[in-house]
Amino acid sequence: MKKIIIVLLIIIFSSCKENNENQKLMYNQLIHYRDELKTNSLAIDQAINFQLEKEKTLKNILKERKRVLLEYEKSFEKLKFKERDKIVKLRDSFNNKHKLYLHFDTSNYDNNVSDTIFNRLMEIDFYRIKTSFQSRYLLRHGCI
């Protein structure tokens, strides 16, 4: 009987270790994807600034749009590691208000995702929204 209990404990501990390794792998992949999106966002920012230097008439038009994006960034940073519902609501409202048409699968966010994974997913969603907004409203297509 003791051998069965010991075997069961070993199986439980090994499955916990495997689950933990899967979470670490997922977390590392999310970090890599987030960094990739962040780099793309910074590259688009540089392209927009270059474009503004070339054409001064665009400056006033894009100035307001950049302000909207900056306000969104500040709001995101305030909510970054706080309440899940508020950050999801901020993301969805910005997406809908500016007609970015991005789809976010949030079906498992509430119960099945740890806080660290959730925060990385929200950062990824933030950079997806940011690059979509930049591409749609700030970057002139065909000029660069």
Side-chain angles (χ1 to χ4, degrees), residues 37-52:
L37 288 170
K38 189 175 184 179
T39 302
N40 289 343
S41 174
L42 292 173
I44 293 172
D45 277 338
Q46 290 175 348
I48 291 166
N49 290 335
F50 177 74
Q51 182 177 301
L52 285 174

Side-chain angles (χ1 to χ4, degrees), residues 5-106:
I5 293 173
I6 292 173
V7 169
L8 287 174
L9 288 174
I10 291 173
I11 291 172
I12 290 172
F13 286 129
S14 67
S15 67
C16 289
K17 184 178 177 184
E18 183 178 309
N19 189 19
N20 212 7
E21 289 175 8
N22 287 340
Q23 265 195 335
K24 285 180 185 178
L25 177 65
M26 181 191 302
Y27 183 78
N28 289 335
Q29 289 173 339
L30 289 173
I31 291 289
H32 177 71
Y33 184 51
R34 184 220 42 205
D35 291 344
E36 198 174 295
L37 288 170
K38 189 175 184 179
T39 302
N40 289 343
S41 174
L42 292 173
I44 293 172
D45 277 338
Q46 290 175 348
I48 291 166
N49 290 335
F50 177 74
Q51 182 177 301
L52 285 174
E53 287 178 14
K54 284 177 61 177
E55 298 184 32
K56 300 294 181 180
T57 57
L58 286 177
K59 202 169 207 167
N60 292 335
I61 297 169
L62 297 182
K63 188 176 182 179
E64 179 64 22
R65 292 178 182 171
K66 285 180 79 171
R67 185 191 60 75
V68 168
L69 187 58
L70 185 62
E71 285 178 12
Y72 173 65
E73 288 179 34
K74 287 179 182 178
S75 298
F76 177 78
E77 287 299 322
K78 283 182 187 176
L79 295 174
K80 196 172 187 177
F81 299 111
K82 296 187 175 135
E83 295 180 45
R84 288 183 178 202
D85 294 339
K86 287 184 180 179
I87 197 162
V88 169
K89 186 177 179 181
L90 173 70
R91 179 202 63 195
D92 292 341
S93 66
F94 192 85
N95 184 33
N96 294 333
K97 181 179 180 181
H98 297 287
K99 296 177 176 59
L100 299 176
Y101 305 112
L102 294 173
H103 174 71
F104 303 104
D105 184 21
T106 59

Side-chain angles (χ1 to χ4, degrees), residues 90-131:
L90 173 70
R91 179 202 63 195
D92 292 341
S93 66
F94 192 85
N95 184 33
N96 294 333
K97 181 179 180 181
H98 297 287
K99 296 177 176 59
L100 299 176
Y101 305 112
L102 294 173
H103 174 71
F104 303 104
D105 184 21
T106 59
S107 58
N108 294 326
Y109 281 3
D110 292 332
N111 300 323
N112 299 337
V113 177
S114 69
D115 287 341
T116 55
I117 300 292
F118 175 79
N119 290 329
R120 294 307 148 241
L121 289 170
M122 287 299 105
E123 283 182 324
I124 287 169
D125 290 350
F126 165 76
Y127 284 113
R128 285 181 58 206
I129 284 177
K130 183 177 178 184
T131 55

